[in-house]
Amino acid sequence: MIYLDHAATAMKRPDQVAEAVAAAMCSTGNSARGAHKASLDASRLIFDTRKKLCQFFHGENPSQIVFTMNATESLNIAIKGVLNPGDHVITTVLEHNSVLRPLYEMERRGVELTILSCDEKGRVDVRDFAGSIRRNTRAIFCTHASNLTGNIIDIQAVGEIAKAYGILFGVDASQTAGVIPIDVKAYGIDILCFTGHKSLLGPQGTGGMYVREGEKVRPLKSGGSGILTYQKEHPAQMPERLEAGTLNGHGIAGLNVALAYLQETGIETIRTFELKLMRQFYEGVRQIKGVTLYGDFETSLRCPIVALNLGDCDSSKVSDELYLEYEIAVRSGGHCAPLMHRALGTEKQGAVRFSFSHYNTAEEVERAIQAVRELASGL
């Protein structure tokens, strides 16, 4: 199988990730739930991973790194934990449902919502953020990159706008964490939400968020924390404030060594190779008759994603043919990005998304190009 669905989840990971998970399952206890070696080993491992993530995103205090199951949980904690009835929040049509659905829920509770549009290539004009700010604007929540087109939002520019107006800035880094550098301090990011199973190359069931020191986020859950057992309220200190219950210590062990791999290999090296493969595929399919491409390919700063359609064929039918006839795994349909599809005019058809990893090869990309060419010839 040629796996070209890395925007959904990484398939190939460093061997040491699985080895670390297996080792942790046989050796680590429950962090902060005991004074014996197994529990202390788990606590040390989790804290070391906090430090690695804090350094990775250029934060200052590892205690401001919170572990969750995935970016969806992180975004729910962030959005529901800072917005109140009467607040105004700004987002974009590029967003994944992990951002949109919590925002719609808050809208039903009395939060005012503005959704910024995009141009025909799926690009948002950063100036629209400033133009949408009101007296009661509490926050901007936006993705760093579209999971459908691969287009990047200039979050540094958005962060400067948020800082100038004194409003909170939250970023969904699901598609960029691990492949595009993120500096939470330099970019003015108050809350950064990320997942571990995509470009961070960790196991599924790992994710987290960075919360700027001093920013108060209401907990989504309460319960066991390993500290302050006799207190009725959940602990207010970070990171326990947002981490009720047992953490996925085994998965975090895998994420720990994945971060070490990224640090050693260099995400610039990884991104350069992935974008080279993406560009090879794009150049190979863009002139094929019947192929429609979506997104901005004029810029070099983007995610290694190519979304396309063949004529008016349903995207699911195309992806099925790619897998059944060529053993090429891609994603089709709506990609949990309904407003992006509406903006591109692909609501009914969906789109076929090819997403690349540095574990892919030029030969695999060439086979994918040939498969698209052959399928398009049958239109």
Side-chain angles (χ1 to χ4, degrees):
M1 179 180 68
I2 298 174
Y3 186 80
L4 299 177
D5 194 20
H6 297 277
T9 193
M11 173 63 74
K12 180 74 172 82
R13 296 175 173 84
D15 292 340
Q16 56 265 40
V17 172
E19 293 166 0
V21 172
M25 291 182 71
C26 300
S27 62
T28 59
N30 198 334
S31 174
R33 269 68 168 182
H36 50 77
K37 184 178 185 301
S39 178
L40 294 175
D41 284 350
S43 296
R44 294 186 186 101
L45 172 66
I46 288 170
F47 182 69
D48 184 64
T49 311
R50 286 192 211 279
K51 289 198 299 181
K52 282 186 169 71
L53 285 165
C54 190
Q55 293 167 0
F56 196 81
F57 296 124
H58 301 277
E60 294 182 334
N61 183 353
S63 294
Q64 298 305 116
I65 295 289
V66 174
F67 287 111
T68 63
M69 289 291 290
N70 44 50
T72 299
E73 184 178 6
S74 299
L75 288 160
N76 272 266
I77 293 170
I79 291 169
K80 296 174 183 178
V82 301
L83 296 177
N84 297 293
D87 287 343
H88 173 240
V89 60
I90 302 168
T91 192
T92 79
V93 297
L94 277 66
E95 308 307 314
H96 189 278
N97 273 333
S98 297
V99 173
L100 293 175
R101 285 175 173 165
L103 286 176
Y104 291 148
E105 183 178 338
M106 297 309 293
E107 186 179 33
R108 291 192 292 271
R109 298 182 189 180
V111 171
E112 299 171 18
L113 175 62
T114 294
I115 302 176
L116 303 183
S117 60
C118 65
D119 65 12
E120 71 282 355
K121 291 188 176 181
R123 298 172 297 196
V124 171
D125 189 332
V126 170
R127 294 171 295 184
D128 290 345
F129 286 96
S132 300
I133 292 173
R134 307 173 186 171
R135 291 180 61 184
N136 63 329
T137 301
R138 170 73 174 96
I140 294 170
F141 278 100
C142 73
T143 188
H144 191 184
S146 167
N147 73 315
L148 175 58
T149 65
N151 289 353
I152 299 287
I153 291 179
D154 186 349
I155 56 171
Q156 184 170 8
V158 179
E160 291 171 358
I161 292 169
K163 185 176 181 180
Y165 285 88
I167 59 179
L168 181 143
F169 183 35
V171 174
D172 173 11
S174 297
Q175 292 298 329
T176 56
V179 70
I180 294 178
I182 299 172
D183 188 324
V184 293
K185 190 174 181 181
Y187 296 174
I189 298 172
D190 297 298
I191 301 177
L192 180 76
C193 300
F194 57 90
T195 190
H197 70 96
K198 297 186 182 185
S199 291
L200 284 178
L201 303 178
Q204 293 181 5
T206 61
M209 56 196 297
Y210 156 83
V211 180
R212 180 180 58 79
E213 202 159 4
E215 187 64 53
K216 295 296 183 183
V217 179
R218 290 187 301 273
L220 188 66
K221 302 178 292 183
S222 60
S225 61
I227 61 171
L228 301 176
T229 294
Y230 297 100
Q231 182 174 290
K232 289 184 177 181
E233 298 79 20
H234 194 78
Q237 69 193 58
M238 291 286 282
E240 290 84 3
R241 176 181 178 85
L242 303 178
E243 286 184 347
T246 296
L247 297 176
N248 179 11
H250 304 146
I252 291 170
L255 181 60
N256 184 290
V257 297
L259 290 164
Y261 168 84
L262 291 172
Q263 189 71 31
E264 179 182 351
T265 307
I267 64 172
E268 296 284 351
T269 301
I270 292 172
R271 183 174 73 257
T272 297
F273 187 72
E274 291 179 350
L275 289 176
K276 181 180 179 181
L277 296 179
M278 180 219 74
R279 187 63 59 178
Q280 176 190 348
F281 181 78
Y282 168 75
E283 294 295 340
V285 301
R286 70 186 184 94
Q287 298 294 346
I288 297 175
K289 185 178 179 181
V291 170
T292 301
L293 294 158
Y294 305 97
D296 178 13
F297 293 94
E298 297 172 4
T299 177
S300 60
L301 184 59
R302 55 174 290 110
C303 284
I305 291 171
V306 178
L308 57 79
N309 274 314
L310 300 184
D312 59 1
C313 291
D314 184 87
S315 62
S316 296
K317 180 179 179 181
V318 175
S319 69
D320 285 348
E321 288 295 313
L322 284 167
Y323 188 70
L324 294 173
E325 298 297 327
Y326 303 94
E327 293 189 273
I328 297 173
V330 296
R331 185 175 175 187
S332 62
H335 308 87
C336 302
L339 301 185
M340 191 76 263
H341 278 285
R342 187 176 302 167
L344 297 173
T346 54
E347 276 186 288
K348 293 183 179 180
Q349 189 177 15
V352 184
R353 185 185 68 189
F354 296 75
S355 49
F356 305 89
S357 163
H358 67 296
Y359 285 112
N360 289 125
T361 66
E363 291 74 21
E364 289 177 329
V365 173
E366 202 55 45
R367 287 171 62 187
I369 294 169
Q370 183 61 27
V372 172
R373 184 178 294 114
E374 291 177 10
L375 290 175
S377 68
L379 294 177

